[in-house]
Amino acid sequence: MTALPQVEQAAPEIEMRTGLPDVEVRRRLALAMRREETGARVLAFYLVEMDGRRLYQTSGHGSTAHYAEVGLGIDRRRTCDLLHVGRTLLELVEVDGAFCAGRLGWAKVLVLARVATPKHEAEWLERALALDCRRLAALARRSKPGGPPRKPSEQKGLPEIRFPLGVSVGVLGRAKVEQAQAKLAAELGREVSLAELFEALAGDFLASEADGSVPGRKRVDASIYRVIVREDDDGGPGGTLLAETEEGPLPIESAGAVRCDAEELRQQGESQLELDVKTPPPLRRKVLVRDEARCRSCASRHDLMVHHMEFRGEGGRTSAENLITLCTRCHALVHEGLLVLEGATAGEVRFLDAAKRPLELGEPVAAITPPAPQGAAEREFVMLDAVPEVVDGAWWERHAHLFHERKDGTGLRFEAGEPREPVQGRGTTVAEPADGDPFAGLVGQDETVRRFKIAATGARLLGHAFAHTLLTGPAGTGKTRLARSIAACLGRRPIEVLGPMTTDKPTWLRLLAALEEGGVLFLDEAHALPRPLLEMLLEALSEARLTLTVSDGVRARTITLALPRFTLLAATTEEGLLPVALRSRFGLRERLIHYEVKALSTLLLQAAAAKGAEVAPEAAARLAETARGTPREALRLLDRALDDCAAQGTPRLDAEAVEGALARLGYDEHGLDATERRYVQVLRRSRRPVPLSRLSRTLGLSPSTLVESVEPHLFERGLVCTTLAGRMATPAA
């Protein structure tokens, strides 16, 4: 594995000292925190850079998470979090700018990365600057991810409090849990989770009572136990504090306890002001609910008290606007003057220290340089949201490597990255003008060629594209040669695709996007094209576009790939396997049949002349009779006969030389090969029809091989016929 790069410049020395003044301690804490936050932002930025450009491969690592784990000592979970935040901040430009300028802390950035989107970024940033981390996190939990922050009027009640419980059980315990879960699911008529089962079991247990037969428990109140501290309503001289519990108020030792100045004034007889009433229990509960049962200063849930912002001894009223929830520690700080409340009402209160500075430390922080925007000329990084709704072939060519097929086949997966440079001369270029007739050399298909020439002329005069064409027929009858001749007649160089070899959507999309206006796509063995790709082809033929579902793991959206008008030339040996929807889209349908012996003889003479070989007409006719009516087989036999002729030292391929060559290739005087002769012999020896399965076992060939390769020539020659019971040899055999 490649060694990790070394840091060229040593890190600055960090000084840690004891005994510093409190102001300096707070300043150093703020600077250390800022240094940690900026380090996390830089980590997130360069991890995204490494992941998008796959730079981890240059050091021999398998992924960005692997590099971070081995080279940086960062666990994979934190790496994933940093990658998510880094990608999100590429979209949330204002949030990133506020962090880089020191106006926003990293903890708030993490919260915004979970819920904010560019559409509502400004609203979330405004709330983040106004709220502390705890309240911002609570607002994010109550808001819908991707939506705007909820308004105060929409925030009802307290957030649900949940506790993870980990437990390990044995085999018997696990079986009991599974049976109980299945029983509860049957009773409710739906699936239930382990959490629902646990709550149901706990509720039943708490509701049970002992009847003497088995051990049990008394029924108890299952509410959460919380201690709320208040002053004794009797106003006794001791200034006693009471803790409200489920069993009623319990006194707390008053030594060292905190008492409001109103009580102190009363004890000293300085009651020149008319004091308002003590806080009644209903109002106290209302304030606790409003403040989420937390201390408004430190967010503690323990030893809570309801405090008058404007002291009762100074004329403060006992109202919800003047009451605030504090814990006993913060309450003591208020009365000692170390914690100052600023604000007219509880809703707008701010907490200051003794020097009247906000508790949110306002020390100067170092600004960092934000990453370049996406539109910068020196760098272009494409995210899913930046993909246009409608793209063309040129755009797709540059960004096709960012799209991958999902494993479940439901769409495409998008990976953010940089586009590639465009390739010159892409797609179906215009072919060089052909010398003479592009259909020259095609024999035996005169009527078919004539119809194609008429269609091409009509399309050119009317100014529209050549009709989609379907070519069907047995293998070797010249479908590929005919398709190439049609493309040459249209002045185009076709994109050739083999149906069985095209299996994934990204490759299929690249081929379709590479087409230009008036281009030609030749699809051979069209019946073997996978069904999902066939459905995409149908949309391309009818709508000249493709609707694609794309996701990046979190979000999903649809985009449209606009396609030019093109001509599809499809060839297949199995027309019946093509869907009706596809067959109906072909304006021209031509079925090629087996060639006659005369046409094949002419073809062989032309091919021999092109090779510079001398072939007698009777020799060409003999080869044509053995060629099974296909040009491909005829040309194969010609090549083998010429090889044999050269080996025998014969300068000219005549009838005698052809007979000797065919005999050495295993053909008899009737043009049957060894397999066909054995097939006929089996039928001759049998007095009754022979089933196909029995023929297959006897000859050692699969039924499909017999049907597709052996029987067609025998049926054409009239040597074999079929009955309900099986195959039989005819008298001609």
Side-chain angles (χ1 to χ4, degrees), residues 53 68 107 120 219 223 273 285 388 441 445 535 545 631 655:
R53 297 170 55 191
H120 303 288
R219 189 179 185 90
S223 61
L273 296 177
R285 287 192 294 269
Q445 303 289 350
E535 293 174 354
R545 67 182 183 186

Side-chain angles (χ1 to χ4, degrees), residues 632-654:
R632 184 181 299 167
E633 182 68 11
L635 294 174
R636 185 188 74 85
L637 293 176
L638 175 63
D639 290 339
R640 302 291 75 75
L642 291 176
D643 293 342
D644 186 85
C645 184
Q648 298 298 326
T650 305
R652 182 173 182 269
L653 186 61
D654 54 15

Side-chain angles (χ1 to χ4, degrees), residues 78 98 123 186 295 364 422 438 591 647:
R78 189 181 178 219
E123 300 175 59
C295 173
R591 180 167 184 81

Side-chain angles (χ1 to χ4, degrees), residues 48 52 151 403 514 628 665:
V48 172
K151 298 178 181 178
F403 296 85
R628 274 72 174 157
L665 289 173

Side-chain angles (χ1 to χ4, degrees), residues 196-208:
E196 293 177 304
L197 173 64
F198 180 81
E199 292 182 5
L201 294 177
D204 291 343
F205 178 75
L206 293 175
S208 62

